[in-house]
Amino acid sequence: MKSAMNKSVTNEDALTRVIVKRAEKDLEEIKDLYYRRNSVSLYHAVAKETSGDYKEFLLTLLGKED
């Protein structure tokens, strides 16, 4: 997931695929692990690296930040 956002251009296809595939299963675990590895929440990272309707879509899937 970090590699999808860690470039000059965010790989939107990869980012969408990971979040949508995992939204129902283990997204909470992924969010926790992302924070432990990167010291920033996944919600914050996605908010920073995306914009517009795409940003709102992904943030909705992620749910409100705790």
Side-chain angles (χ1 to χ4, degrees), residues 2-23:
K2 185 175 181 179
S3 65
M5 294 188 290
N6 199 22
K7 299 176 182 173
S8 60
V9 177
T10 299
N11 184 337
E12 292 180 352
D13 289 338
L15 186 57
T16 301
R17 205 169 28 255
V18 169
I19 291 174
V20 171
K21 279 185 169 181
R22 298 301 185 172

PDB file of all heavy atoms in Angstrom, residues 2-23:
ATOM      1  N   LYS A   2       1.903   1.249   0.824  1.00  0.00           N
ATOM      2  CA  LYS A   2       2.776   2.412   0.868  1.00  0.00           C
ATOM      3  C   LYS A   2       3.422   2.646  -0.489  1.00  0.00           C
ATOM      4  O   LYS A   2       3.561   3.775  -0.929  1.00  0.00           O
ATOM      5  CB  LYS A   2       3.842   2.257   1.943  1.00  0.00           C
ATOM      6  CG  LYS A   2       4.679   3.506   2.099  1.00  0.00           C
ATOM      7  CD  LYS A   2       5.647   3.405   3.242  1.00  0.00           C
ATOM      8  CE  LYS A   2       6.424   4.693   3.366  1.00  0.00           C
ATOM      9  NZ  LYS A   2       7.354   4.655   4.472  1.00  0.00           N
ATOM     10  N   SER A   3       3.794   1.578  -1.177  1.00  0.00           N
ATOM     11  CA  SER A   3       4.431   1.740  -2.483  1.00  0.00           C
ATOM     12  C   SER A   3       3.471   2.349  -3.502  1.00  0.00           C
ATOM     13  O   SER A   3       3.892   3.026  -4.426  1.00  0.00           O
ATOM     14  CB  SER A   3       4.975   0.415  -2.991  1.00  0.00           C
ATOM     15  OG  SER A   3       3.936  -0.496  -3.230  1.00  0.00           O
ATOM     16  N   ALA A   4       2.181   2.138  -3.324  1.00  0.00           N
ATOM     17  CA  ALA A   4       1.200   2.740  -4.238  1.00  0.00           C
ATOM     18  C   ALA A   4       1.123   4.247  -4.046  1.00  0.00           C
ATOM     19  O   ALA A   4       0.750   4.981  -4.953  1.00  0.00           O
ATOM     20  CB  ALA A   4      -0.181   2.122  -4.017  1.00  0.00           C
ATOM     21  N   MET A   5       1.508   4.732  -2.846  1.00  0.00           N
ATOM     22  CA  MET A   5       1.439   6.167  -2.564  1.00  0.00           C
ATOM     23  C   MET A   5       2.807   6.805  -2.440  1.00  0.00           C
ATOM     24  O   MET A   5       2.914   7.999  -2.274  1.00  0.00           O
ATOM     25  CB  MET A   5       0.673   6.402  -1.254  1.00  0.00           C
ATOM     26  CG  MET A   5      -0.762   6.011  -1.340  1.00  0.00           C
ATOM     27  SD  MET A   5      -1.699   6.485   0.117  1.00  0.00           S
ATOM     28  CE  MET A   5      -1.026   5.375   1.350  1.00  0.00           C
ATOM     29  N   ASN A   6       3.865   6.047  -2.536  1.00  0.00           N
ATOM     30  CA  ASN A   6       5.208   6.551  -2.278  1.00  0.00           C
ATOM     31  C   ASN A   6       5.951   6.890  -3.560  1.00  0.00           C
ATOM     32  O   ASN A   6       7.108   6.586  -3.714  1.00  0.00           O
ATOM     33  CB  ASN A   6       5.985   5.512  -1.462  1.00  0.00           C
ATOM     34  CG  ASN A   6       7.174   6.112  -0.769  1.00  0.00           C
ATOM     35  OD1 ASN A   6       7.230   7.307  -0.548  1.00  0.00           O
ATOM     36  ND2 ASN A   6       8.141   5.275  -0.433  1.00  0.00           N
ATOM     37  N   LYS A   7       5.280   7.526  -4.480  1.00  0.00           N
ATOM     38  CA  LYS A   7       5.883   7.927  -5.747  1.00  0.00           C
ATOM     39  C   LYS A   7       5.416   9.338  -6.057  1.00  0.00           C
ATOM     40  O   LYS A   7       4.543   9.871  -5.403  1.00  0.00           O
ATOM     41  CB  LYS A   7       5.459   6.972  -6.865  1.00  0.00           C
ATOM     42  CG  LYS A   7       5.888   5.537  -6.629  1.00  0.00           C
ATOM     43  CD  LYS A   7       5.369   4.626  -7.701  1.00  0.00           C
ATOM     44  CE  LYS A   7       5.799   3.202  -7.375  1.00  0.00           C
ATOM     45  NZ  LYS A   7       5.224   2.226  -8.259  1.00  0.00           N
ATOM     46  N   SER A   8       5.982   9.929  -7.081  1.00  0.00           N
ATOM     47  CA  SER A   8       5.538  11.265  -7.453  1.00  0.00           C
ATOM     48  C   SER A   8       4.089  11.262  -7.926  1.00  0.00           C
ATOM     49  O   SER A   8       3.390  12.239  -7.813  1.00  0.00           O
ATOM     50  CB  SER A   8       6.455  11.851  -8.530  1.00  0.00           C
ATOM     51  OG  SER A   8       6.432  11.035  -9.681  1.00  0.00           O
ATOM     52  N   VAL A   9       3.639  10.116  -8.446  1.00  0.00           N
ATOM     53  CA  VAL A   9       2.248   9.951  -8.866  1.00  0.00           C
ATOM     54  C   VAL A   9       1.676   8.744  -8.143  1.00  0.00           C
ATOM     55  O   VAL A   9       2.236   7.662  -8.202  1.00  0.00           O
ATOM     56  CB  VAL A   9       2.148   9.737 -10.394  1.00  0.00           C
ATOM     57  CG1 VAL A   9       0.720   9.494 -10.811  1.00  0.00           C
ATOM     58  CG2 VAL A   9       2.735  10.926 -11.143  1.00  0.00           C
ATOM     59  N   THR A  10       0.566   8.938  -7.459  1.00  0.00           N
ATOM     60  CA  THR A  10      -0.065   7.844  -6.730  1.00  0.00           C
ATOM     61  C   THR A  10      -0.639   6.831  -7.704  1.00  0.00           C
ATOM     62  O   THR A  10      -1.297   7.188  -8.666  1.00  0.00           O
ATOM     63  CB  THR A  10      -1.176   8.406  -5.823  1.00  0.00           C
ATOM     64  OG1 THR A  10      -0.598   9.304  -4.885  1.00  0.00           O
ATOM     65  CG2 THR A  10      -1.890   7.290  -5.080  1.00  0.00           C
ATOM     66  N   ASN A  11      -0.380   5.564  -7.460  1.00  0.00           N
ATOM     67  CA  ASN A  11      -0.929   4.493  -8.286  1.00  0.00           C
ATOM     68  C   ASN A  11      -2.352   4.229  -7.816  1.00  0.00           C
ATOM     69  O   ASN A  11      -2.598   3.411  -6.937  1.00  0.00           O
ATOM     70  CB  ASN A  11      -0.066   3.241  -8.163  1.00  0.00           C
ATOM     71  CG  ASN A  11      -0.530   2.129  -9.080  1.00  0.00           C
ATOM     72  OD1 ASN A  11      -1.684   2.088  -9.492  1.00  0.00           O
ATOM     73  ND2 ASN A  11       0.363   1.210  -9.382  1.00  0.00           N
ATOM     74  N   GLU A  12      -3.300   4.944  -8.404  1.00  0.00           N
ATOM     75  CA  GLU A  12      -4.690   4.881  -7.960  1.00  0.00           C
ATOM     76  C   GLU A  12      -5.292   3.496  -8.133  1.00  0.00           C
ATOM     77  O   GLU A  12      -6.075   3.057  -7.296  1.00  0.00           O
ATOM     78  CB  GLU A  12      -5.529   5.937  -8.674  1.00  0.00           C
ATOM     79  CG  GLU A  12      -5.155   7.340  -8.272  1.00  0.00           C
ATOM     80  CD  GLU A  12      -5.981   8.410  -8.960  1.00  0.00           C
ATOM     81  OE1 GLU A  12      -6.762   8.072  -9.872  1.00  0.00           O
ATOM     82  OE2 GLU A  12      -5.842   9.572  -8.581  1.00  0.00           O
ATOM     83  N   ASP A  13      -4.949   2.802  -9.197  1.00  0.00           N
ATOM     84  CA  ASP A  13      -5.489   1.459  -9.414  1.00  0.00           C
ATOM     85  C   ASP A  13      -5.070   0.514  -8.290  1.00  0.00           C
ATOM     86  O   ASP A  13      -5.895  -0.213  -7.742  1.00  0.00           O
ATOM     87  CB  ASP A  13      -5.042   0.901 -10.765  1.00  0.00           C
ATOM     88  CG  ASP A  13      -5.701   1.594 -11.939  1.00  0.00           C
ATOM     89  OD1 ASP A  13      -6.786   2.196 -11.750  1.00  0.00           O
ATOM     90  OD2 ASP A  13      -5.145   1.535 -13.042  1.00  0.00           O
ATOM     91  N   ALA A  14      -3.811   0.533  -7.949  1.00  0.00           N
ATOM     92  CA  ALA A  14      -3.314  -0.353  -6.890  1.00  0.00           C
ATOM     93  C   ALA A  14      -3.913   0.018  -5.543  1.00  0.00           C
ATOM     94  O   ALA A  14      -4.327  -0.857  -4.773  1.00  0.00           O
ATOM     95  CB  ALA A  14      -1.788  -0.286  -6.829  1.00  0.00           C
ATOM     96  N   LEU A  15      -3.985   1.294  -5.257  1.00  0.00           N
ATOM     97  CA  LEU A  15      -4.530   1.761  -3.996  1.00  0.00           C
ATOM     98  C   LEU A  15      -6.005   1.376  -3.865  1.00  0.00           C
ATOM     99  O   LEU A  15      -6.434   0.842  -2.842  1.00  0.00           O
ATOM    100  CB  LEU A  15      -4.358   3.276  -3.888  1.00  0.00           C
ATOM    101  CG  LEU A  15      -4.752   3.931  -2.580  1.00  0.00           C
ATOM    102  CD1 LEU A  15      -3.990   3.327  -1.424  1.00  0.00           C
ATOM    103  CD2 LEU A  15      -4.483   5.428  -2.678  1.00  0.00           C
ATOM    104  N   THR A  16      -6.776   1.575  -4.908  1.00  0.00           N
ATOM    105  CA  THR A  16      -8.199   1.218  -4.904  1.00  0.00           C
ATOM    106  C   THR A  16      -8.369  -0.283  -4.724  1.00  0.00           C
ATOM    107  O   THR A  16      -9.195  -0.731  -3.919  1.00  0.00           O
ATOM    108  CB  THR A  16      -8.878   1.662  -6.218  1.00  0.00           C
ATOM    109  OG1 THR A  16      -8.730   3.070  -6.356  1.00  0.00           O
ATOM    110  CG2 THR A  16     -10.356   1.313  -6.218  1.00  0.00           C
ATOM    111  N   ARG A  17      -7.590  -1.044  -5.446  1.00  0.00           N
ATOM    112  CA  ARG A  17      -7.689  -2.503  -5.388  1.00  0.00           C
ATOM    113  C   ARG A  17      -7.460  -3.010  -3.961  1.00  0.00           C
ATOM    114  O   ARG A  17      -8.235  -3.830  -3.452  1.00  0.00           O
ATOM    115  CB  ARG A  17      -6.674  -3.118  -6.351  1.00  0.00           C
ATOM    116  CG  ARG A  17      -7.014  -4.468  -6.845  1.00  0.00           C
ATOM    117  CD  ARG A  17      -6.138  -4.949  -8.001  1.00  0.00           C
ATOM    118  NE  ARG A  17      -4.793  -4.426  -8.093  1.00  0.00           N
ATOM    119  CZ  ARG A  17      -4.406  -3.510  -8.991  1.00  0.00           C
ATOM    120  NH1 ARG A  17      -5.244  -3.019  -9.876  1.00  0.00           N
ATOM    121  NH2 ARG A  17      -3.160  -3.087  -9.015  1.00  0.00           N
ATOM    122  N   VAL A  18      -6.450  -2.520  -3.293  1.00  0.00           N
ATOM    123  CA  VAL A  18      -6.136  -2.976  -1.935  1.00  0.00           C
ATOM    124  C   VAL A  18      -7.248  -2.597  -0.970  1.00  0.00           C
ATOM    125  O   VAL A  18      -7.725  -3.423  -0.195  1.00  0.00           O
ATOM    126  CB  VAL A  18      -4.794  -2.385  -1.444  1.00  0.00           C
ATOM    127  CG1 VAL A  18      -4.602  -2.631   0.036  1.00  0.00           C
ATOM    128  CG2 VAL A  18      -3.643  -2.962  -2.234  1.00  0.00           C
ATOM    129  N   ILE A  19      -7.699  -1.358  -1.029  1.00  0.00           N
ATOM    130  CA  ILE A  19      -8.712  -0.902  -0.071  1.00  0.00           C
ATOM    131  C   ILE A  19     -10.050  -1.587  -0.306  1.00  0.00           C
ATOM    132  O   ILE A  19     -10.688  -2.065   0.633  1.00  0.00           O
ATOM    133  CB  ILE A  19      -8.849   0.636  -0.106  1.00  0.00           C
ATOM    134  CG1 ILE A  19      -7.573   1.272   0.466  1.00  0.00           C
ATOM    135  CG2 ILE A  19     -10.070   1.089   0.689  1.00  0.00           C
ATOM    136  CD1 ILE A  19      -7.514   2.765   0.366  1.00  0.00           C
ATOM    137  N   VAL A  20     -10.489  -1.678  -1.554  1.00  0.00           N
ATOM    138  CA  VAL A  20     -11.788  -2.288  -1.845  1.00  0.00           C
ATOM    139  C   VAL A  20     -11.780  -3.781  -1.529  1.00  0.00           C
ATOM    140  O   VAL A  20     -12.722  -4.302  -0.924  1.00  0.00           O
ATOM    141  CB  VAL A  20     -12.208  -2.032  -3.308  1.00  0.00           C
ATOM    142  CG1 VAL A  20     -13.429  -2.842  -3.678  1.00  0.00           C
ATOM    143  CG2 VAL A  20     -12.483  -0.551  -3.519  1.00  0.00           C
ATOM    144  N   LYS A  21     -10.734  -4.479  -1.895  1.00  0.00           N
ATOM    145  CA  LYS A  21     -10.659  -5.916  -1.634  1.00  0.00           C
ATOM    146  C   LYS A  21     -10.674  -6.220  -0.144  1.00  0.00           C
ATOM    147  O   LYS A  21     -11.191  -7.244   0.285  1.00  0.00           O
ATOM    148  CB  LYS A  21      -9.401  -6.518  -2.253  1.00  0.00           C
ATOM    149  CG  LYS A  21      -9.519  -6.802  -3.712  1.00  0.00           C
ATOM    150  CD  LYS A  21      -8.266  -7.505  -4.175  1.00  0.00           C
ATOM    151  CE  LYS A  21      -8.414  -8.055  -5.565  1.00  0.00           C
ATOM    152  NZ  LYS A  21      -7.203  -8.762  -5.995  1.00  0.00           N
ATOM    153  N   ARG A  22     -10.086  -5.367   0.630  1.00  0.00           N
ATOM    154  CA  ARG A  22      -9.937  -5.624   2.059  1.00  0.00           C
ATOM    155  C   ARG A  22     -10.960  -4.904   2.922  1.00  0.00           C
ATOM    156  O   ARG A  22     -10.983  -5.092   4.134  1.00  0.00           O
ATOM    157  CB  ARG A  22      -8.538  -5.226   2.529  1.00  0.00           C
ATOM    158  CG  ARG A  22      -7.458  -6.015   1.869  1.00  0.00           C
ATOM    159  CD  ARG A  22      -7.646  -7.462   2.156  1.00  0.00           C
ATOM    160  NE  ARG A  22      -6.530  -8.226   1.621  1.00  0.00           N
ATOM    161  CZ  ARG A  22      -6.345  -9.496   1.857  1.00  0.00           C
ATOM    162  NH1 ARG A  22      -7.193 -10.155   2.593  1.00  0.00           N
ATOM    163  NH2 ARG A  22      -5.323 -10.122   1.331  1.00  0.00           N
ATOM    164  N   ALA A  23     -11.827  -4.095   2.334  1.00  0.00           N
ATOM    165  CA  ALA A  23     -12.759  -3.278   3.103  1.00  0.00           C
ATOM    166  C   ALA A  23     -13.615  -4.107   4.050  1.00  0.00           C
ATOM    167  O   ALA A  23     -13.858  -3.689   5.177  1.00  0.00           O
ATOM    168  CB  ALA A  23     -13.640  -2.451   2.161  1.00  0.00           C
TER     169      ALA A  23
END
